[in-house]
Amino acid sequence: MKEIKTVGVIGLGALGTLYAHLLTEGLGREHVLVLADRDRVERYRREGITFNGQLCDFNYTDAASVTEPVDLLLFAVKFGGLENAIASCRHLVGPETTLISVLNGIASEPRLGEAFSPEQVVWCVAQKMSARKEGNHAEADPLGELALGVPTGTDPAHLERLTAFFDRIRFPYSLPADIRTHLWSKLLCNTGCNQTTMVFQCGYGGLQVPGKARDTMLGAMREVLAVANAEGIPLSERDVESWVSIIDSFPPDGMTSMRQDSLAHRKSEVELFAGTVRRLAAKHNIAVPVNDWLYEQIQAMEAAY
């Protein structure tokens, strides 16, 4: 396969801005298309986007105007926007286009595989960063990394192509031994961390000290652990401890994406977290009272917007 020379990024939230910035720095503005519809492109150009206090010199591009497939397409939309993103970028995906998603949860990679080809999808977990966006201003510290892999039995050609590209531009990534387990591990983190900060209306600092918020986070994580094991995913208490250690290292005033959603009165990704856990728990007849409570609290909060 030819090396990656052109990249498209769709979705310009906190993570989309972070990766558009890193890719533009590594590859050059002319080779990284920050994709949106025409009206949104015009607004981005007019209002500008900043990252860590500096105005971004992004190549804002109307996706409909692009006539050639890109070598790498990175999806950074919310899950609720994934279908629209797939439709608007379908013509940008050729037979050799590599696809990655930095969406939360465990559903976006299979969906991209259904929409295009499973062999073109490199499974991905965005991790170890604290990123936030308010209005047109995004921040991230630390920047974290992308954990990459493909399921057992899948052709590794696109993974090898992607890691060669990331090596070339010095983009941070890691290669966990089992990417499917790693995605579940991140689901464990998000289900506990994201939802708890939304319900308790706190930043990471609220999770870093003893109390009900931290206990709720841990309880939700351990329920994911039980459901994962029932699904044949070998998570353990070590995964809980590892993610708690990472969360404890974040800036206390940093905020999860769901806390940011609540402050902006946006619909959250609760269905990707507690919703997923509850559905799978019911299949295995596992009680998940902490996730039930979080789900009900978040539904009530969103109904009041």
Side-chain angles (χ1 to χ4, degrees):
M1 299 179 72
K2 67 175 184 177
E3 67 179 20
I4 292 172
K5 294 182 178 180
T6 59
V7 177
V9 177
I10 182 161
L12 210 55
L15 289 185
T17 304
L18 164 61
Y19 295 122
H21 168 76
L22 292 177
L23 290 164
T24 298
E25 276 199 331
L27 194 57
R29 180 184 186 278
E30 66 275 19
H31 301 295
V32 180
L33 310 180
V34 176
L35 301 161
D37 60 42
R38 184 175 59 185
D39 290 344
R40 195 176 295 247
V41 164
E42 290 176 357
R43 177 164 60 82
Y44 288 153
R45 289 173 177 166
R46 182 175 64 250
E47 299 177 0
I49 301 288
T50 67
F51 179 73
N52 284 352
Q54 295 190 339
L55 184 65
C56 299
D57 184 25
F58 289 155
N59 184 4
Y60 301 114
T61 304
D62 177 4
S65 71
V66 184
T67 58
E68 296 290 330
V70 294
D71 298 327
L72 171 65
L73 184 57
L74 185 151
F75 289 83
V77 296
K78 291 284 189 181
F79 188 73
L82 182 58
E83 293 304 320
N84 284 340
I86 288 171
S88 65
C89 290
R90 188 172 292 279
H91 64 294
L92 302 180
V93 178
E96 289 197 351
T97 301
T98 299
L99 306 168
I100 56 173
S101 160
V102 296
L103 278 67
N104 286 319
I106 57 174
S108 63
E109 280 82 5
R111 178 66 193 103
L112 289 176
E114 292 170 2
F116 302 106
S117 166
E119 289 74 22
Q120 292 178 258
V121 181
V122 175
W123 290 35
C124 173
V125 175
Q127 63 183 29
K128 300 182 181 179
M129 77 285 296
S130 176
R132 61 192 291 182
K133 188 180 181 197
E134 296 181 13
N136 291 342
H137 308 290
E139 299 175 355
D141 182 24
L143 301 181
E145 66 184 14
L146 295 182
L148 305 171
V150 293
T152 302
T154 303
D155 185 345
H158 281 276
L159 173 62
E160 293 167 357
R161 179 196 200 200
L162 182 60
T163 56
F165 168 62
F166 281 169
D167 287 339
R168 194 170 84 243
I169 67 170
R170 300 183 179 180
F171 187 100
Y173 72 91
S174 62
L175 296 169
D178 182 340
I179 191 62
R180 192 185 301 274
T181 299
H182 203 74
L183 255 71
W184 268 89
S185 179
K186 182 66 185 295
L187 175 67
L188 178 149
C189 171
N190 283 334
T191 299
C193 179
N194 267 272
Q195 298 186 132
T196 301
T197 58
M198 182 172 178
V199 170
F200 285 87
Q201 301 180 48
C202 65
Y204 292 114
L207 307 178
Q208 293 166 348
V209 295
K212 187 173 180 180
R214 189 175 179 91
D215 290 344
T216 299
M217 174 184 72
L218 290 168
M221 286 180 169
R222 288 178 176 131
E223 289 177 358
V224 177
L225 173 58
V227 172
N229 290 166
E231 284 283 299
I233 306 298
L235 296 184
S236 71
E237 185 66 21
R238 263 182 284 182
D239 293 278
V240 175
E241 294 169 358
S242 175
W243 282 113
V244 170
S245 177
I246 291 169
I247 291 164
D248 285 346
S249 73
F250 285 158
D253 62 348
M255 291 190 292
T256 66
S257 59
M258 283 184 69
R259 173 61 176 149
Q260 295 174 56
D261 289 339
S262 68
L263 288 171
H265 288 184
R266 292 189 297 258
K267 292 292 184 182
S268 74
E269 294 180 309
V270 66
E271 290 295 342
L272 282 178
F273 303 145
T276 297
V277 173
R278 283 157 50 93
R279 287 189 293 274
L280 292 174
K283 182 176 90 171
H284 296 287
N285 199 27
I286 297 172
V288 287
V290 178
N291 276 285
D292 286 340
W293 181 77
L294 287 167
Y295 186 86
E296 291 163 4
Q297 295 297 310
I298 292 167
Q299 290 288 337
M301 291 173 71
E302 293 183 351
Y305 290 165

